[in-house]
Amino acid sequence: MATAKSRGLAIEAVLLIAICLFCVFPFYWMVTTSLKSQVVALQSPPAWLFSPTLANYTEVLFEDKVGVALINSIIVAVCTTLLHHQPLRQSRRPCLPGLPDQPRPWLTRHAYRPDPDVSDLQPADRDLDLYRSVPVHPA
Amino acid sequence: MTAQVPRKTLFAFLGPAVFALLIVGIVPLGFAAWKSFHYFNLTKMAQQRFVGIDNYAFVLTDPVFWQAMGRTALLFIISVPVQIAIGLTIALVLHRPSMTLFKTLTRLALVLPMATTYAVVGLLAQVMLNQKYGVVNQILGWIGVDPVNFIGDPTNAFIAVVIWDIWQWTPFVALILLAGLSTVPPEIEEAAELETKSPWIILRHIQLPYLVPSLVAVLILRTADTLKLFDMPFTMTRGGPGAATEFIAILIERVGNRQFDIGMASAQAMIMLAVTILLARLYIRFFYREVR
């Protein structure tokens, strides 16, 4: 009984490691490539061990014009976040055009079915959150 | 519940949002619709003229357009079931109550692929899948496979895009399904575990019914994302080699921005919009009702 259980745990651990590798490896490769010089990055066969350099980062941040683009992104991100702020429980992702704008059922346990009180409001009304300063569903 | 709100207040609050939506959404759409009835080529601006439905007639009989549509559909048909299958496996593994810390870490790892920008993912594919210096071919070499020309061969390029799409969006499916699994009442699950030993029966009769809303959400979001998939194959292959990875959004971009035929591209975009709306209505019709 104990061996069967530990074998199950071992399988589970292997699966978890596989999932982690599957997700993280391309990301790891991107990060390490960013620390390679051009010659090392295009080396064949690919180098796993190398002496890292921050030259790419200094070039991007201080010599190229990427800083401007970064600031543009920050301006857009901050503005949209401020203008679009909603309480977390009601956050939802816009779906296809024409879809009824529902609370995401997989995030909210309480607001599972559409609330009759608010379902007839236009989405824009609900986005402004005029009517929901008090939670409709007590948790 | 709602008290009477004065009309003025309503307009004052809604006005800016509606106005912004009008400027950035509706007006360009109307402009595109209007231009789709014109011969409008950026290299021959003087010859701009109204041609009625000629653009639409050409697009609808254009095999290139339908091939791009077919390619997009093929990508969807292959990648989404795989994503759901792998995603469900991952969700089931993560749902089991053991090794909590490790599972939290795995959940964090799952966020990485979908947090990466499409364009970056495409460039990353170019680096990793390169025949000469790509790490994927190196790893394949370790298990005795000859280097594969992923980007240069039409069939392989399509497969590479499919695999890359699966890599990027399987974690997303997994996380949604995991959230769906947590809506299964634990007492029902425990009772089922006393009744049967087979995890398959638990999955089929206890967990799957609770997963239907999540699956519908996955289906809708993946359909939308696949239809407008652009950045990743664009930075990875530019729709090539030949037209092997020219999906519908890339075709529209090519006609509009690289052949400068804005009228034709607008007509294609309008048809794609019609297809999207049609699919959305179908989904609502057949799935949303059941979910409610």
Side-chain angles (χ1 to χ4, degrees), chain B residues 28 30-52 54-55 255-257 259-267:
Chain B
F31 186 73
W34 174 238
K35 282 301 169 198
S36 69
F37 292 108
H38 287 70
Y39 177 81
F40 182 26
N41 193 318
L42 289 181
T43 57
K44 297 172 194 160
M45 292 291 275
Q47 296 172 29
Q48 197 183 144
R49 62 181 187 277
F50 187 81
V51 292
D54 277 12
N55 283 336
V255 172
N257 287 358
Q259 298 179 348
F260 306 112
D261 199 340
I262 303 291
M264 194 67 78
S266 302

Side-chain angles (χ1 to χ4, degrees), chain B residues 129-131 136-137 140 148-153 156-158 160 163:
Chain B
L129 297 177
N130 188 287
Q131 194 176 5
V136 172
N137 273 323
L140 285 180
V148 182
N149 189 356
F150 279 111
I151 310 283
D153 181 81
N156 288 347
F158 187 84
I163 292 176

Side-chain angles (χ1 to χ4, degrees), chain A residues 42 77 106:
Chain A
L42 301 184
W106 59 87

Side-chain angles (χ1 to χ4, degrees), chain A residues 1 5 8-31 33 36 38 40-48 93-109 112-128 130-136, chain B residues 1-3 5 10 13-14 17-18 86 89-90 93-94 96-99 102-103 105-106 109-113 116 120 124 127-128 132-136 138-139 142 164 166-172 175-176 179-180 182-184 186 210 213-214 217-218 220-221 223-225 227-228 273 276-277 279-281 283-284 288 291-292:
Chain A
M1 189 63 208
K5 200 173 179 189
L9 274 181
I11 292 174
E12 219 172 304
V14 169
L15 276 176
L16 284 177
I17 291 170
I19 296 167
C20 281
L21 276 183
F22 172 75
C23 292
V24 174
F25 181 72
F27 209 79
Y28 160 83
W29 200 255
M30 177 165 77
V31 173
T33 305
K36 290 172 180 171
Q38 181 81 355
V40 182
L42 301 184
Q43 190 177 310
S44 171
W48 289 70
R93 170 170 169 167
C95 299
L96 293 169
L99 267 186
D101 201 336
Q102 278 197 322
R104 282 194 278 182
W106 59 87
L107 272 191
T108 52
R109 275 195 171 187
Y112 203 98
R113 62 206 137 67
D115 185 353
D117 283 331
V118 284
S119 58
D120 56 341
L121 295 177
Q122 291 306 304
D125 292 350
R126 282 191 278 150
D127 283 346
L128 278 173
L130 286 177
Y131 305 98
R132 279 214 179 178
S133 43
V134 180
V136 182
Chain B
M1 161 183 164
T2 60
V5 181
L10 263 183
F13 275 93
L14 289 183
V18 174
I86 303 179
T89 316
I90 295 177
V93 172
L94 286 181
R96 293 163 62 94
S98 58
M99 290 188 281
F102 197 3
K103 277 176 186 166
L105 288 177
T106 312
L110 282 179
V111 179
L112 279 181
T116 316
V120 174
L124 191 59
V127 172
M128 289 182 65
K132 290 264 159 48
Y133 57 83
V135 66
V136 172
Q138 189 191 22
I139 294 174
W142 291 343
W164 227 243
I166 291 172
W167 173 75
Q168 197 184 5
W169 291 109
T170 297
F172 172 71
L175 287 178
I176 290 185
S182 67
T183 63
V184 183
Y210 279 93
S214 312
V218 164
I220 290 175
L221 293 171
T223 311
D225 284 345
L227 272 174
K228 63 179 196 218
L273 180 68
T276 312
I277 293 175
L279 279 176
R281 303 310 312 183
Y283 277 145
I284 292 169
Y288 250 61
V291 175
R292 283 183 196 173

Side-chain angles (χ1 to χ4, degrees), chain B residues 166-241:
Chain B
I166 291 172
W167 173 75
Q168 197 184 5
W169 291 109
T170 297
F172 172 71
V173 176
L175 287 178
I176 290 185
L177 293 182
L178 183 63
L181 278 179
S182 67
T183 63
V184 183
E187 54 270 23
I188 299 183
E189 250 176 9
E190 277 165 27
E193 270 162 25
L194 291 179
E195 291 281 334
T196 174
K197 274 236 155 65
S198 150
W200 170 248
I201 292 180
I202 297 179
L203 174 67
R204 170 69 191 80
H205 294 284
I206 310 287
Q207 290 167 332
L208 224 47
Y210 279 93
L211 283 181
V212 172
S214 312
L215 285 172
V216 171
V218 164
L219 213 56
I220 290 175
L221 293 171
R222 290 308 302 137
T223 311
D225 284 345
T226 308
L227 272 174
K228 63 179 196 218
L229 179 68
F230 172 75
D231 328 28
M232 190 266 275
F234 187 75
T235 50
M236 190 168 154
T237 62
R238 296 264 146 148

Side-chain angles (χ1 to χ4, degrees), chain B residues 3-21:
Chain B
Q4 269 302 318
V5 181
R7 280 186 94 74
K8 228 186 240 171
T9 321
L10 263 183
F11 280 117
F13 275 93
L14 289 183
V18 174
F19 182 73
L21 202 67

